[in-house]
């Protein structure tokens, strides 16, 4: 393992159409922990695909503030901006992408 690469402790993958989100818990050399959230977007290129990735680092001292802000923001969208939308319709488990590939949701 590269000296700069941090040890991955836990990983959760969420597939969402052309996007995949990765939630990875990593440790530092001093045995501290943090979370990386990566969005990976798949783009067709020739006979294959390329992937565009965006990464965010979340440190333990910000976990509670982050979760609170995320929950408040989602609740605002659901209740104030889109009160007539039935969000349970998006709770599907499997889907087929535009290339005919079955996508499994974790």
């Amino acid at each position: 393992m590269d000296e700069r690469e941090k040890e991955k402790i836990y990983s959760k993958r969420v597939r969402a159409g052309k996007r995949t989100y990765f939630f990875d818990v990593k440790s530092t050399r001093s045995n501290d922990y943090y979370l990386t959230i990566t969005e990976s977007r798949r783009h067709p290129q020739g006979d294959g695909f390329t992937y565009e990735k965006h990464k965010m680092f979340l440190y333990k001292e910000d976990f509670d503030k982050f979760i609170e802000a995320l929950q408040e923001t989602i609740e605002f969208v659901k209740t104030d901006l889109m009160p007539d939308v039935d969000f349970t319709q998006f709770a599907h488990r499997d889907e087929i992408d535009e290339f005919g590939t079955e996508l499994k949701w974790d």
Side-chain angles (χ1 to χ4, degrees), residues 63-91:
F63 286 178
D64 289 339
K65 293 181 278 189
F66 183 87
I67 292 296
E68 184 179 330
L70 180 61
Q71 288 174 331
E72 285 178 17
T73 304
I74 291 171
E75 191 60 30
F76 173 78
V77 171
K78 286 182 171 184
T79 59
D80 293 2
L81 300 179
M82 306 178 86
D84 299 326
V85 174
D86 176 14
F87 284 90
T88 61
Q89 69 180 317
F90 305 117

Side-chain angles (χ1 to χ4, degrees), residues 37-99:
I37 302 171
T38 306
E39 176 199 34
S40 178
R41 291 180 45 189
R42 182 177 63 185
H43 300 284
Q45 183 179 42
D47 291 339
F49 300 98
T50 61
Y51 294 90
E52 176 184 341
K53 294 183 179 184
H54 301 278
K55 189 172 286 211
M56 184 175 115
F57 295 82
L58 186 61
Y59 300 95
K60 67 181 182 306
E61 59 269 20
D62 300 322
F63 286 178
D64 289 339
K65 293 181 278 189
F66 183 87
I67 292 296
E68 184 179 330
L70 180 61
Q71 288 174 331
E72 285 178 17
T73 304
I74 291 171
E75 191 60 30
F76 173 78
V77 171
K78 286 182 171 184
T79 59
D80 293 2
L81 300 179
M82 306 178 86
D84 299 326
V85 174
D86 176 14
F87 284 90
T88 61
Q89 69 180 317
F90 305 117
H92 47 24
R93 299 303 294 168
D94 297 331
E95 97 181 18
I96 305 296
D97 70 8
E98 69 274 18
F99 304 103

Side-chain angles (χ1 to χ4, degrees), residues 5-58:
E5 188 177 330
K6 307 303 179 208
E7 182 182 352
K8 191 185 310 183
I9 306 297
Y10 175 85
S11 186
K12 177 71 176 175
R13 179 181 62 201
V14 178
R15 293 184 182 160
K18 292 181 186 179
R19 292 180 170 89
T20 302
Y21 300 98
F22 297 93
F23 297 84
D24 298 313
V25 176
K26 297 184 179 185
S27 68
T28 65
R29 282 180 265 186
S30 62
N31 288 328
D32 205 0
Y33 301 97
Y34 63 97
L35 172 68
T36 62
I37 302 171
T38 306
E39 176 199 34
S40 178
R41 291 180 45 189
R42 182 177 63 185
H43 300 284
Q45 183 179 42
D47 291 339
F49 300 98
T50 61
Y51 294 90
E52 176 184 341
K53 294 183 179 184
H54 301 278
K55 189 172 286 211
M56 184 175 115
F57 295 82
L58 186 61

